[in-house]
Amino acid sequence: MTDIPFEDRVKAASLNPKPEDVAKLQALVIDLDRSATQVRGPRSYAEEPLSAFRLTPAK
Amino acid sequence: MTDLHFLTIAEASAKIRAKTLSPVELTQAYMARIKALDGELNSHILVLEDQALAAAKQAEADIMAGGWKGPLHGIPIGLKDIYNTAGITTTGHSDLFKDHVPAEDAFTVKCLRDAGAIFTGKLSTWEFAIGGTSFDLPWPPARNPWDLSRDPSGSSSGSGAAVAAGLCTGAMGTDTGGSIRGPAAWCGIAGLKPTYGYLSRRGILPLSFSLDHAGPMCWTSEDCALMMQVLAQHDPLDAANANVAAADFTAGLGSGLKGLRVGVVRHFFETDLSTDAETIQALENALMVLRDMGASVGDVTLSPFEVYGDVGSLISRSEAFAFHQAWLRESPERYGAYGRQRLMAGAFIAAADYVNAQRQRAVLVAQVAEVMKTVDVLVFPTARCPAREIGEDSMASGFQPFFNRAFNVTGNPGLSICNGFSASGLPLSLQIGGRPFEDALVLKVGDALEKAMGTRGRRPAFAC
């Protein structure tokens, strides 16, 4: 997969960080990208997100 | 006699009820303390002197007329400045909200007000509870009263510092990734992150909807229990608030721990993240005390701590960006650098990764529930080390000082207590986790340990 330059990702997100923010922002994003790889493993379709919710009938 | 400003809620309340202490006298004592010490401590964004004294006079009149409302009547409490207060600025410690004046109190603030608590001030926080210890905001960051060159941690930094230094009897904090328990640990006080949904979040500036918790921060676990007694009320207008009958949080205090089953999550601090020797030795000392009190102690295994960190980061940053994105795009310059960077980072998380983090979260919740069929409480250190130098940016450097994320992700209650002191005189910490809605048991264990280990007799030299 082609790596997208970080500056392009920032533009695509419609963000305009200060120039002095960019290196720290990129470091934080690299850390989140690493976290994301940890939740991408194969899963059963039966594994539902915690945000699935339960309605109760009207009384 | 103990100085008025170092009375616990339990002690002050008993005196107020007996009419041997006036809420006015107590409030005046705190106002004098704030004037004397907060120029260096920076725990307050706004001091509510006139309002507090007026409320104290009313409380005194009510109590003298036989209208004592309960243990928080006339008790001075500080509020982290992300709790909405009707007619009073709620800034989030940010330039962006410096003129934000809510029309209504947060639900928990109303609970406290109805119970007769006196609000002494709005307390410092990390910007919007995420920005880190920052020096580029309209107000300076709070400092650690045990050593002013040290960080009190955050985000409930002012709450931790003010309680430890005796600038209020108790305080409210919030905890999305450890923001009650971190400052409680580094400031040497008790801080409870209740079960998710036990306390209303309505009227508190959100950081991460599914991870945010309100909770008390006090000198003792007993005081946290007294505050929970008032705070745990059902709020039908908070979507996450559980409609459960609140426990009696004080009933079990002092009844002993014989038969309690304690699970030590040893891999957190021995394998997953390196932890300093004094912290581990203090934990072993506490385990011996628990055994002496009749508890059984054994090790348990959860997922590696990093898994909780990954899941918690993905969820919290995604949800925080969802709340802040319009301001981040329109006026990013109004945030401090740390807050701006941390909040912007949430823009880069893919939706599928957020959903998969929520799926992994369900697995972690089930796993902790399974382990807790075999034990009644979980224990491990709150912090890996005592307070660090202020200005060290933990998040940017990748250093994670705390073991807090696990219970934000699973929603279980977690209490941090002071677990003794380092050779350099800084507080060490211990965390006690429980099953959902067994917050009363967690507080009972914390109270028993504090009393057995005698950690509550020592205050910061700066404050004495």
Side-chain angles (χ1 to χ4, degrees), chain B residues 417-434:
Chain B
I417 61 168
C418 180
N419 194 30
F421 296 87
S422 69
S424 58
L426 294 170
L428 303 171
S429 59
L430 171 72
Q431 184 158 177
I432 304 156

Side-chain angles (χ1 to χ4, degrees), chain A residues 13 21 34-35 40 44 47, chain B residues 310 329 340-341 353 359:
Chain A
D21 286 341
R34 186 203 54 74
S35 290
R40 286 178 190 156
S44 161
E47 280 186 31
Chain B
D310 290 333
R329 289 185 173 122
R340 185 170 58 242
Q341 292 156 11
D353 293 330
R359 294 171 85 192

Side-chain angles (χ1 to χ4, degrees), chain B residues 400-420:
Chain B
Q400 168 51 258
F402 300 104
F403 292 107
N404 289 330
R405 264 266 162 77
F407 293 146
N408 294 92
V409 169
T410 66
N412 295 65
L415 171 72
S416 182
I417 61 168
C418 180
N419 194 30

Side-chain angles (χ1 to χ4, degrees), chain B residues 295-326:
Chain B
S296 62
V297 178
D299 294 350
V300 296
T301 303
L302 303 176
S303 286
F305 184 77
E306 188 179 26
V307 177
Y308 296 96
D310 290 333
V311 169
S313 293
L314 291 168
I315 294 171
S316 66
R317 296 302 174 85
S318 299
E319 294 182 354
F321 183 73
F323 177 64
H324 280 277
Q325 61 176 324

Side-chain angles (χ1 to χ4, degrees), chain B residues 61-252:
Chain B
D62 291 344
I63 292 165
M64 293 308 288
W68 185 73
K69 295 179 178 176
L72 295 192
H73 201 174
I75 297 296
I77 300 289
L79 299 170
K80 180 178 183 175
D81 201 22
I82 66 170
Y83 280 79
N84 281 350
T85 38
I88 296 167
T89 52
T90 298
T91 69
H93 209 131
S94 178
D95 180 63
L96 194 68
F97 269 43
K98 70 176 189 294
D99 300 317
H100 171 236
V101 181
E104 292 183 1
D105 285 339
F107 183 83
T108 43
V109 171
K110 181 177 184 304
C111 291
L112 292 167
R113 198 186 293 280
D114 289 347
I118 311 293
F119 299 124
T120 46
K122 304 298 292 288
L123 301 171
S124 307
T125 167
W126 289 355
E127 186 178 31
F128 292 118
I130 192 174
T133 301
S134 301
F135 294 86
D136 59 351
L137 302 175
W139 305 270
R143 290 179 175 271
N144 193 316
W146 295 92
D147 178 344
L148 294 175
S149 73
R150 301 273 170 170
D151 199 320
S153 183
S155 62
S156 308
S157 46
S159 304
V163 170
L167 303 193
C168 53
T169 328
M172 290 302 292
T174 60
D175 194 317
T176 303
S179 287
I180 285 173
R181 292 160 291 158
W186 278 4
C187 294
I189 65 170
L192 175 70
K193 182 207 79 65
T195 300
Y196 183 74
Y198 221 151
L199 302 193
S200 172
R201 305 157 305 145
R202 185 162 59 94
I204 301 170
L205 299 180
L207 176 57
S208 170
F209 302 104
S210 74
L211 293 165
D212 288 346
H213 301 67
M217 300 173 72
C218 302
W219 186 243
T220 65
S221 298
E222 179 185 21
D223 283 359
C224 288
L226 289 167
M227 287 187 68
M228 284 295 287
Q229 205 78 3
V230 163
L231 293 164
Q233 299 183 38
H234 177 52
D235 177 6
L237 298 181
D238 176 354
N241 191 237
N243 190 3
V244 296
D248 185 334
F249 295 94
T250 60

